[in-house]
Amino acid sequence: RKEVEQDPGPFNVPEGATVAFNCTYSNSASQSFFWYRQDCRKEPKLLMSVYSSGNEDGRFTAQLNRASQYISLLIRDSKLSDSATYLCVVNEAGGYNKLIFGAGTRLAVHP
Amino acid sequence: GAGVSQSPSNKVTEKGKDVELRCDPISGHTALYWYRQSLGQGLEFLIYFQGNSAPDKSGLPSDRFSAERTGGSVSTLTIQRTQQEDSAVYLCASSSPQESTDTQYFGPGTRLTVL
């Protein structure tokens, strides 16, 4: 079983749609969770951290369910510029801040 | 300010040759990480530096891979006797103790192609 699993997609949605990505992780001791965004042939960039209380940044909402070891990202009112690969990332418990990346979920927003 | 830089941006080499990849972290960032990303795959951790020491090198795939960091700044990743399966994008990231140590900033990567 992979340490971080995501639906690879692709998700093809029209502008203005709401889309949700899910992710599960295997290490119950993990403490920190993130969503990164990666554009084609570019480096990953931090989109947002994920907290147990849930957090929102504009059109983006991230949720963490520790009991289910499940992380989600909701994007509302999708824009063309949201097209990218979204990486679910977990900080390895007890490690040296080593990040464990999911393989990513591709999102394509069309007009 | 300047972000993480890596060189070369692209490297094409022949099987069996050695290659060196360079990473310049953000100034003042004491932690430095190397990852690699194969086509269509997620990022795979290779090695972590704190200052010039590498307390976690558990991700290096074989003894053909080595890395060093000098002056608490620049790091080089060396791959000896390259194989075709080494073809990937090699990404470097750095982080600062002044910020949340969880936030890693990535360089643009070096795309390595082994023919």
Side-chain angles (χ1 to χ4, degrees), chain B residues 35-58:
Chain B
Y35 297 86
R36 76 175 175 181
Q37 187 172 30
S38 301
L39 188 63
Q41 303 296 312
L43 274 75
E44 172 191 13
F45 168 83
L46 297 178
I47 188 169
Y48 157 67
F49 285 94
Q50 179 58 46
N52 294 334
S53 302
D56 188 350
K57 51 179 79 172
S58 61

Side-chain angles (χ1 to χ4, degrees), chain A residues 15 37 78-84 108-111:
Chain A
E15 277 186 288
R37 170 191 169 132
S78 299
K79 311 291 184 190
L80 296 176
S81 57
D82 293 336
S83 297
V109 182
H110 57 82

Side-chain angles (χ1 to χ4, degrees), chain A residues 96-98, chain B residues 31-35 45 47-48 91-93 95 104:
Chain A
Y96 296 97
N97 198 26
K98 182 166 75 180
Chain B
L32 186 148
Y33 306 80
W34 283 98
Y35 297 86
F45 168 83
I47 188 169
Y48 157 67
L91 290 150
C92 174
S95 66
Q104 296 183 20

